[in-house]
Amino acid sequence: MIKNVIFDIGNVLADFGWERLFLRLGFEGEVFERMADATVRGPYWVEFDRSRMPDREIIEGFYSLAPEYKDQINLLYEHIHEMTEEYSYASSWIRELKAAGYSVYILSNYGKTAFENREKPFSFLSEADGKVISFEAASVKPERKIFQALEDKYGIHPKESVFIDDMEENVTAAKLYGYEGIVFKSREQTEKKLAELGI
């Protein structure tokens, strides 16, 4: 029996709009592609989410992949907290699930600097029953450690929980750990999948 609904943040409860931010900062054409490959699509980005390395070391990693774009990398870092925008339905969806008797938790990869420097905290965080963000666990999805951190913190049992994420590899991992899992495409599609689980 499902008792817990666990949400990712990026592209589920909030738009991970790195492309929009890049364009707003003036990164177009070749600059856009090189910057993306060096940062959000590159091997060092996950270290922001894990937050075990100092930011300066991660930025040096970005530099090593695009040394001619140091100024742009610095500009991106100054605005990194502006990359994600909350969806209008996020808080109300959580409230609806709670009103139906489910506990709702947040489990997300999100870097400490970007998360803590947001001008306006995500409103849905206060609606949820709890959260574990990757920098708090020094682990990222799909690693077992971050799921274990949520289980230990809130006494969650995987067999009583459904995990919702836009990344298929994270949902596949969650299923291996004993959770029900839904790959998020839209709220409507996800609600249909939840209904199939009796939620």
Side-chain angles (χ1 to χ4, degrees):
M1 179 180 175
I2 300 297
K3 298 180 180 179
N4 310 302
V5 179
I6 302 166
F7 283 107
D8 174 38
I9 292 178
N11 296 328
V12 177
L13 297 179
D15 176 28
F16 177 47
W18 66 266
E19 298 101 328
R20 183 184 62 247
L21 178 60
F22 273 34
L23 293 173
R24 181 157 62 82
L25 296 177
F27 306 158
E28 299 180 349
E30 182 181 352
V31 176
F32 182 102
E33 297 300 329
R34 289 296 308 282
M35 282 290 295
D37 288 343
T39 59
V40 294
R41 295 196 302 232
Y44 293 99
W45 189 258
V46 69
E47 297 306 330
F48 261 131
D49 290 341
R50 199 188 306 276
S51 296
R52 286 193 299 198
M53 291 172 60
D55 283 4
R56 179 46 50 184
E57 289 184 20
I58 299 169
I59 292 169
E60 291 290 342
F62 294 162
Y63 290 165
S64 72
L65 297 173
E68 69 273 39
Y69 293 116
K70 286 186 177 182
D71 290 344
Q72 289 88 345
I73 290 169
N74 291 337
L75 180 63
L76 174 62
Y77 181 69
E78 290 173 12
H79 292 270
I80 198 169
H81 57 285
E82 301 168 15
M83 199 169 281
T84 310
E85 186 174 319
E86 182 173 340
Y87 290 139
S88 59
Y89 62 72
S91 291
S92 60
W93 195 6
I94 291 175
R95 286 195 296 270
E96 289 169 16
L97 287 164
K98 291 183 65 175
Y102 298 97
S103 297
V104 179
Y105 300 93
I106 308 297
L107 185 68
S108 185
N109 290 352
Y110 211 120
K112 180 179 176 69
T113 298
F115 189 86
E116 294 187 342
N117 290 348
R118 287 180 54 83
E119 290 185 13
K120 184 179 180 181
F122 292 121
S123 65
F124 55 76
L125 292 176
S126 61
E127 303 288 352
D129 293 289
K131 67 173 177 59
V132 169
I133 309 299
S134 57
F135 71 85
E136 298 172 332
S139 176
V140 295
K141 296 173 298 183
E143 296 168 359
R144 181 71 184 99
K145 181 180 175 182
I146 190 171
F147 288 87
Q148 189 69 55
L150 185 74
E151 293 160 22
D152 292 346
K153 187 174 182 179
Y154 298 107
I156 289 171
H157 298 289
K159 294 295 185 183
E160 298 175 345
S161 309
V162 57
F163 174 66
I164 301 165
D165 196 297
D166 66 309
M167 303 295 289
E168 186 170 359
E169 58 264 38
N170 294 338
V171 174
T172 298
K175 289 179 176 180
L176 289 174
Y177 306 148
Y179 295 81
E180 292 286 351
I182 298 172
V183 178
F184 180 92
K185 303 293 184 184
S186 69
R187 177 177 178 178
E188 293 73 21
Q189 163 263 345
T190 299
E191 286 184 325
K192 288 179 182 178
K193 293 292 186 181
L194 287 171
E196 292 172 9
L197 294 173
I199 298 173

PDB file of all heavy atoms in Angstrom, residues 67-88:
ATOM      1  N   PRO A  67      38.535  27.039 -21.650  1.00  0.00           N
ATOM      2  CA  PRO A  67      39.389  28.099 -21.088  1.00  0.00           C
ATOM      3  C   PRO A  67      39.168  29.469 -21.714  1.00  0.00           C
ATOM      4  O   PRO A  67      39.426  30.490 -21.062  1.00  0.00           O
ATOM      5  CB  PRO A  67      40.807  27.583 -21.373  1.00  0.00           C
ATOM      6  CG  PRO A  67      40.665  26.553 -22.440  1.00  0.00           C
ATOM      7  CD  PRO A  67      39.314  25.943 -22.240  1.00  0.00           C
ATOM      8  N   GLU A  68      38.659  29.494 -22.934  1.00  0.00           N
ATOM      9  CA  GLU A  68      38.436  30.786 -23.589  1.00  0.00           C
ATOM     10  C   GLU A  68      37.142  31.460 -23.117  1.00  0.00           C
ATOM     11  O   GLU A  68      36.856  32.601 -23.497  1.00  0.00           O
ATOM     12  CB  GLU A  68      38.401  30.609 -25.109  1.00  0.00           C
ATOM     13  CG  GLU A  68      37.200  29.864 -25.661  1.00  0.00           C
ATOM     14  CD  GLU A  68      37.375  28.352 -25.688  1.00  0.00           C
ATOM     15  OE1 GLU A  68      37.962  27.793 -24.740  1.00  0.00           O
ATOM     16  OE2 GLU A  68      36.903  27.741 -26.665  1.00  0.00           O
ATOM     17  N   TYR A  69      36.364  30.758 -22.260  1.00  0.00           N
ATOM     18  CA  TYR A  69      35.080  31.304 -21.813  1.00  0.00           C
ATOM     19  C   TYR A  69      35.048  31.529 -20.292  1.00  0.00           C
ATOM     20  O   TYR A  69      33.999  31.416 -19.673  1.00  0.00           O
ATOM     21  CB  TYR A  69      33.945  30.375 -22.230  1.00  0.00           C
ATOM     22  CG  TYR A  69      33.745  30.323 -23.731  1.00  0.00           C
ATOM     23  CD1 TYR A  69      33.951  29.146 -24.440  1.00  0.00           C
ATOM     24  CD2 TYR A  69      33.365  31.455 -24.439  1.00  0.00           C
ATOM     25  CE1 TYR A  69      33.771  29.095 -25.818  1.00  0.00           C
ATOM     26  CE2 TYR A  69      33.188  31.425 -25.814  1.00  0.00           C
ATOM     27  CZ  TYR A  69      33.405  30.242 -26.498  1.00  0.00           C
ATOM     28  OH  TYR A  69      33.226  30.205 -27.861  1.00  0.00           O
ATOM     29  N   LYS A  70      36.172  31.884 -19.733  1.00  0.00           N
ATOM     30  CA  LYS A  70      36.219  32.099 -18.276  1.00  0.00           C
ATOM     31  C   LYS A  70      35.258  33.194 -17.833  1.00  0.00           C
ATOM     32  O   LYS A  70      34.583  33.068 -16.801  1.00  0.00           O
ATOM     33  CB  LYS A  70      37.646  32.427 -17.828  1.00  0.00           C
ATOM     34  CG  LYS A  70      38.584  31.239 -17.824  1.00  0.00           C
ATOM     35  CD  LYS A  70      39.938  31.616 -17.232  1.00  0.00           C
ATOM     36  CE  LYS A  70      40.863  30.409 -17.163  1.00  0.00           C
ATOM     37  NZ  LYS A  70      42.169  30.763 -16.551  1.00  0.00           N
ATOM     38  N   ASP A  71      35.200  34.289 -18.586  1.00  0.00           N
ATOM     39  CA  ASP A  71      34.305  35.391 -18.203  1.00  0.00           C
ATOM     40  C   ASP A  71      32.847  34.939 -18.208  1.00  0.00           C
ATOM     41  O   ASP A  71      32.069  35.286 -17.307  1.00  0.00           O
ATOM     42  CB  ASP A  71      34.483  36.584 -19.148  1.00  0.00           C
ATOM     43  CG  ASP A  71      35.814  37.289 -18.961  1.00  0.00           C
ATOM     44  OD1 ASP A  71      36.468  37.067 -17.920  1.00  0.00           O
ATOM     45  OD2 ASP A  71      36.197  38.061 -19.858  1.00  0.00           O
ATOM     46  N   GLN A  72      32.470  34.165 -19.205  1.00  0.00           N
ATOM     47  CA  GLN A  72      31.089  33.671 -19.289  1.00  0.00           C
ATOM     48  C   GLN A  72      30.795  32.678 -18.164  1.00  0.00           C
ATOM     49  O   GLN A  72      29.693  32.654 -17.612  1.00  0.00           O
ATOM     50  CB  GLN A  72      30.841  33.024 -20.653  1.00  0.00           C
ATOM     51  CG  GLN A  72      30.781  33.999 -21.812  1.00  0.00           C
ATOM     52  CD  GLN A  72      32.146  34.294 -22.424  1.00  0.00           C
ATOM     53  OE1 GLN A  72      33.198  33.988 -21.834  1.00  0.00           O
ATOM     54  NE2 GLN A  72      32.144  34.886 -23.608  1.00  0.00           N
ATOM     55  N   ILE A  73      31.772  31.847 -17.842  1.00  0.00           N
ATOM     56  CA  ILE A  73      31.596  30.893 -16.735  1.00  0.00           C
ATOM     57  C   ILE A  73      31.402  31.643 -15.425  1.00  0.00           C
ATOM     58  O   ILE A  73      30.535  31.287 -14.611  1.00  0.00           O
ATOM     59  CB  ILE A  73      32.802  29.931 -16.665  1.00  0.00           C
ATOM     60  CG1 ILE A  73      32.770  28.970 -17.867  1.00  0.00           C
ATOM     61  CG2 ILE A  73      32.807  29.150 -15.349  1.00  0.00           C
ATOM     62  CD1 ILE A  73      34.043  28.161 -18.051  1.00  0.00           C
ATOM     63  N   ASN A  74      32.181  32.681 -15.216  1.00  0.00           N
ATOM     64  CA  ASN A  74      32.028  33.491 -14.001  1.00  0.00           C
ATOM     65  C   ASN A  74      30.650  34.151 -13.949  1.00  0.00           C
ATOM     66  O   ASN A  74      30.014  34.230 -12.885  1.00  0.00           O
ATOM     67  CB  ASN A  74      33.119  34.556 -13.930  1.00  0.00           C
ATOM     68  CG  ASN A  74      34.493  33.972 -13.690  1.00  0.00           C
ATOM     69  OD1 ASN A  74      34.628  32.869 -13.157  1.00  0.00           O
ATOM     70  ND2 ASN A  74      35.532  34.688 -14.085  1.00  0.00           N
ATOM     71  N   LEU A  75      30.181  34.638 -15.109  1.00  0.00           N
ATOM     72  CA  LEU A  75      28.863  35.264 -15.174  1.00  0.00           C
ATOM     73  C   LEU A  75      27.774  34.261 -14.849  1.00  0.00           C
ATOM     74  O   LEU A  75      26.827  34.565 -14.097  1.00  0.00           O
ATOM     75  CB  LEU A  75      28.644  35.865 -16.567  1.00  0.00           C
ATOM     76  CG  LEU A  75      27.307  36.571 -16.811  1.00  0.00           C
ATOM     77  CD1 LEU A  75      27.162  37.777 -15.886  1.00  0.00           C
ATOM     78  CD2 LEU A  75      27.189  36.990 -18.271  1.00  0.00           C
ATOM     79  N   LEU A  76      27.902  33.055 -15.393  1.00  0.00           N
ATOM     80  CA  LEU A  76      26.920  32.018 -15.099  1.00  0.00           C
ATOM     81  C   LEU A  76      26.892  31.713 -13.602  1.00  0.00           C
ATOM     82  O   LEU A  76      25.811  31.585 -13.008  1.00  0.00           O
ATOM     83  CB  LEU A  76      27.248  30.750 -15.885  1.00  0.00           C
ATOM     84  CG  LEU A  76      26.379  29.530 -15.573  1.00  0.00           C
ATOM     85  CD1 LEU A  76      24.917  29.794 -15.920  1.00  0.00           C
ATOM     86  CD2 LEU A  76      26.883  28.298 -16.320  1.00  0.00           C
ATOM     87  N   TYR A  77      28.048  31.610 -12.993  1.00  0.00           N
ATOM     88  CA  TYR A  77      28.102  31.308 -11.564  1.00  0.00           C
ATOM     89  C   TYR A  77      27.404  32.394 -10.743  1.00  0.00           C
ATOM     90  O   TYR A  77      26.710  32.095  -9.758  1.00  0.00           O
ATOM     91  CB  TYR A  77      29.548  31.153 -11.105  1.00  0.00           C
ATOM     92  CG  TYR A  77      29.683  30.821  -9.640  1.00  0.00           C
ATOM     93  CD1 TYR A  77      29.287  29.581  -9.148  1.00  0.00           C
ATOM     94  CD2 TYR A  77      30.181  31.757  -8.744  1.00  0.00           C
ATOM     95  CE1 TYR A  77      29.396  29.280  -7.802  1.00  0.00           C
ATOM     96  CE2 TYR A  77      30.294  31.465  -7.392  1.00  0.00           C
ATOM     97  CZ  TYR A  77      29.896  30.216  -6.930  1.00  0.00           C
ATOM     98  OH  TYR A  77      29.994  29.927  -5.582  1.00  0.00           O
ATOM     99  N   GLU A  78      27.538  33.647 -11.167  1.00  0.00           N
ATOM    100  CA  GLU A  78      26.882  34.751 -10.460  1.00  0.00           C
ATOM    101  C   GLU A  78      25.361  34.627 -10.504  1.00  0.00           C
ATOM    102  O   GLU A  78      24.664  35.129  -9.623  1.00  0.00           O
ATOM    103  CB  GLU A  78      27.307  36.084 -11.069  1.00  0.00           C
ATOM    104  CG  GLU A  78      28.750  36.462 -10.811  1.00  0.00           C
ATOM    105  CD  GLU A  78      29.162  37.707 -11.580  1.00  0.00           C
ATOM    106  OE1 GLU A  78      28.259  38.400 -12.119  1.00  0.00           O
ATOM    107  OE2 GLU A  78      30.372  38.001 -11.634  1.00  0.00           O
ATOM    108  N   HIS A  79      24.859  33.967 -11.548  1.00  0.00           N
ATOM    109  CA  HIS A  79      23.409  33.875 -11.741  1.00  0.00           C
ATOM    110  C   HIS A  79      22.880  32.454 -11.579  1.00  0.00           C
ATOM    111  O   HIS A  79      21.729  32.188 -11.917  1.00  0.00           O
ATOM    112  CB  HIS A  79      23.047  34.393 -13.141  1.00  0.00           C
ATOM    113  CG  HIS A  79      23.268  35.862 -13.315  1.00  0.00           C
ATOM    114  ND1 HIS A  79      22.293  36.801 -13.045  1.00  0.00           N
ATOM    115  CD2 HIS A  79      24.369  36.556 -13.716  1.00  0.00           C
ATOM    116  CE1 HIS A  79      22.775  38.011 -13.285  1.00  0.00           C
ATOM    117  NE2 HIS A  79      24.027  37.890 -13.690  1.00  0.00           N
ATOM    118  N   ILE A  80      23.691  31.570 -11.045  1.00  0.00           N
ATOM    119  CA  ILE A  80      23.325  30.148 -11.007  1.00  0.00           C
ATOM    120  C   ILE A  80      22.045  29.891 -10.204  1.00  0.00           C
ATOM    121  O   ILE A  80      21.292  28.958 -10.494  1.00  0.00           O
ATOM    122  CB  ILE A  80      24.509  29.319 -10.452  1.00  0.00           C
ATOM    123  CG1 ILE A  80      24.337  27.843 -10.822  1.00  0.00           C
ATOM    124  CG2 ILE A  80      24.680  29.505  -8.956  1.00  0.00           C
ATOM    125  CD1 ILE A  80      25.580  27.017 -10.549  1.00  0.00           C
ATOM    126  N   HIS A  81      21.767  30.754  -9.239  1.00  0.00           N
ATOM    127  CA  HIS A  81      20.573  30.581  -8.413  1.00  0.00           C
ATOM    128  C   HIS A  81      19.289  30.963  -9.150  1.00  0.00           C
ATOM    129  O   HIS A  81      18.190  30.763  -8.628  1.00  0.00           O
ATOM    130  CB  HIS A  81      20.700  31.437  -7.147  1.00  0.00           C
ATOM    131  CG  HIS A  81      20.905  32.890  -7.416  1.00  0.00           C
ATOM    132  ND1 HIS A  81      22.119  33.388  -7.844  1.00  0.00           N
ATOM    133  CD2 HIS A  81      20.064  33.947  -7.344  1.00  0.00           C
ATOM    134  CE1 HIS A  81      22.015  34.692  -8.015  1.00  0.00           C
ATOM    135  NE2 HIS A  81      20.780  35.049  -7.723  1.00  0.00           N
ATOM    136  N   GLU A  82      19.421  31.501 -10.374  1.00  0.00           N
ATOM    137  CA  GLU A  82      18.253  31.920 -11.148  1.00  0.00           C
ATOM    138  C   GLU A  82      17.834  30.881 -12.182  1.00  0.00           C
ATOM    139  O   GLU A  82      16.980  31.132 -13.024  1.00  0.00           O
ATOM    140  CB  GLU A  82      18.568  33.239 -11.863  1.00  0.00           C
ATOM    141  CG  GLU A  82      18.955  34.369 -10.924  1.00  0.00           C
ATOM    142  CD  GLU A  82      19.528  35.567 -11.666  1.00  0.00           C
ATOM    143  OE1 GLU A  82      19.358  35.638 -12.905  1.00  0.00           O
ATOM    144  OE2 GLU A  82      20.148  36.415 -11.015  1.00  0.00           O
ATOM    145  N   MET A  83      18.412  29.697 -12.115  1.00  0.00           N
ATOM    146  CA  MET A  83      18.252  28.713 -13.175  1.00  0.00           C
ATOM    147  C   MET A  83      16.922  27.963 -13.118  1.00  0.00           C
ATOM    148  O   MET A  83      16.457  27.418 -14.115  1.00  0.00           O
ATOM    149  CB  MET A  83      19.415  27.713 -13.125  1.00  0.00           C
ATOM    150  CG  MET A  83      19.624  26.925 -14.386  1.00  0.00           C
ATOM    151  SD  MET A  83      21.184  26.004 -14.356  1.00  0.00           S
ATOM    152  CE  MET A  83      22.359  27.290 -14.740  1.00  0.00           C
ATOM    153  N   THR A  84      16.269  27.936 -11.968  1.00  0.00           N
ATOM    154  CA  THR A  84      15.078  27.110 -11.784  1.00  0.00           C
ATOM    155  C   THR A  84      13.884  27.959 -11.372  1.00  0.00           C
ATOM    156  O   THR A  84      13.999  28.801 -10.488  1.00  0.00           O
ATOM    157  CB  THR A  84      15.334  26.030 -10.719  1.00  0.00           C
ATOM    158  OG1 THR A  84      16.560  25.358 -11.018  1.00  0.00           O
ATOM    159  CG2 THR A  84      14.223  25.010 -10.700  1.00  0.00           C
ATOM    160  N   GLU A  85      12.749  27.720 -12.028  1.00  0.00           N
ATOM    161  CA  GLU A  85      11.532  28.497 -11.772  1.00  0.00           C
ATOM    162  C   GLU A  85      10.383  27.559 -11.405  1.00  0.00           C
ATOM    163  O   GLU A  85      10.075  26.625 -12.145  1.00  0.00           O
ATOM    164  CB  GLU A  85      11.177  29.306 -13.027  1.00  0.00           C
ATOM    165  CG  GLU A  85      10.023  30.267 -12.837  1.00  0.00           C
ATOM    166  CD  GLU A  85       9.825  31.145 -14.063  1.00  0.00           C
ATOM    167  OE1 GLU A  85      10.837  31.604 -14.640  1.00  0.00           O
ATOM    168  OE2 GLU A  85       8.664  31.351 -14.459  1.00  0.00           O
ATOM    169  N   GLU A  86       9.753  27.821 -10.275  1.00  0.00           N
ATOM    170  CA  GLU A  86       8.701  26.951  -9.754  1.00  0.00           C
ATOM    171  C   GLU A  86       7.487  26.905 -10.679  1.00  0.00           C
ATOM    172  O   GLU A  86       7.053  27.928 -11.205  1.00  0.00           O
ATOM    173  CB  GLU A  86       8.286  27.464  -8.372  1.00  0.00           C
ATOM    174  CG  GLU A  86       7.235  26.647  -7.672  1.00  0.00           C
ATOM    175  CD  GLU A  86       6.996  27.109  -6.245  1.00  0.00           C
ATOM    176  OE1 GLU A  86       7.870  27.793  -5.685  1.00  0.00           O
ATOM    177  OE2 GLU A  86       5.938  26.768  -5.699  1.00  0.00           O
ATOM    178  N   TYR A  87       6.945  25.702 -10.878  1.00  0.00           N
ATOM    179  CA  TYR A  87       5.714  25.566 -11.645  1.00  0.00           C
ATOM    180  C   TYR A  87       4.527  26.019 -10.803  1.00  0.00           C
ATOM    181  O   TYR A  87       4.500  25.803  -9.580  1.00  0.00           O
ATOM    182  CB  TYR A  87       5.499  24.114 -12.079  1.00  0.00           C
ATOM    183  CG  TYR A  87       6.448  23.605 -13.130  1.00  0.00           C
ATOM    184  CD1 TYR A  87       6.977  22.311 -13.044  1.00  0.00           C
ATOM    185  CD2 TYR A  87       6.819  24.391 -14.220  1.00  0.00           C
ATOM    186  CE1 TYR A  87       7.842  21.824 -14.022  1.00  0.00           C
ATOM    187  CE2 TYR A  87       7.689  23.910 -15.195  1.00  0.00           C
ATOM    188  CZ  TYR A  87       8.197  22.632 -15.086  1.00  0.00           C
ATOM    189  OH  TYR A  87       9.047  22.145 -16.048  1.00  0.00           O
ATOM    190  N   SER A  88       3.530  26.594 -11.447  1.00  0.00           N
ATOM    191  CA  SER A  88       2.380  27.151 -10.724  1.00  0.00           C
ATOM    192  C   SER A  88       1.582  26.085  -9.975  1.00  0.00           C
ATOM    193  O   SER A  88       0.945  26.376  -8.964  1.00  0.00           O
ATOM    194  CB  SER A  88       1.462  27.898 -11.697  1.00  0.00           C
ATOM    195  OG  SER A  88       0.992  27.027 -12.717  1.00  0.00           O
TER     196      SER A  88
END
